[in-house]
Amino acid sequence: QVQLVESGGGLAEAGGSLSLSCAASGRSASSYAIGWFRQAPGKEREFVARISLSGWTTDYADSVKGRFTISRDNAKSTVYLEMNNLSPEDTAVYYCAAMSKFQGTPDYWGQGTQVTVSS
């Protein structure tokens, strides 16, 4: 079992920045690729970004490429999502997920953290 806890959500103005954290715990937590997903009201959950075990490989949705940066600190078992130049379209609940394969289906999910961007 892997437990994931997101933090850092909140309210930001358009053009502003927020940083999210995903703390992982449990057996072999550092053995998983980690992804960020989001779900806006009335919409399906969508992929945002993912990072490999080592942190050397990352992948982003086109909608956030160039604005969001994912990183991880395996010593702290934490993955970060730096979000810049936010727009109201980024408003959603953001979830981190642990995946045994880099592009695989998530095996574990966090509880989510709300990000709201005002115009």
Side-chain angles (χ1 to χ4, degrees), residues 8-31:
L11 178 64
E13 294 183 350
S17 299
L18 280 175
S19 295
L20 305 182
S21 297
C22 173
S25 61
R27 187 172 184 177
S28 301
S30 61
S31 298

Side-chain angles (χ1 to χ4, degrees), residues 94-116:
Y94 283 71
Y95 300 88
C96 66
M99 303 165 294
S100 56
K101 296 181 179 181
F102 181 64
Q103 293 183 317
T105 301
D107 299 283
Y108 302 98
W109 291 93
Q111 83 288 350
T113 185
Q114 177 71 47
V115 170
T116 303

Side-chain angles (χ1 to χ4, degrees), residues 37-101:
F37 297 77
R38 67 187 182 186
Q39 187 167 20
K43 294 186 177 181
E44 294 186 353
R45 191 174 300 187
E46 64 176 3
F47 164 74
V48 175
R50 59 170 69 96
I51 189 165
S52 64
L53 296 175
S54 65
W56 286 106
T57 304
T58 59
D59 186 26
Y60 297 91
D62 288 343
S63 59
V64 307
K65 202 169 292 184
R67 300 188 299 122
F68 290 12
T69 302
I70 189 171
S71 62
R72 70 188 295 166
D73 183 342
N74 284 338
K76 296 181 179 180
S77 297
T78 301
V79 172
Y80 306 96
L81 186 69
E82 180 72 25
M83 305 184 294
N84 297 313
N85 193 20
L86 287 163
S87 72
E89 289 69 36
D90 295 316
T91 295
V93 177
Y94 283 71
Y95 300 88
C96 66
M99 303 165 294
S100 56
K101 296 181 179 181

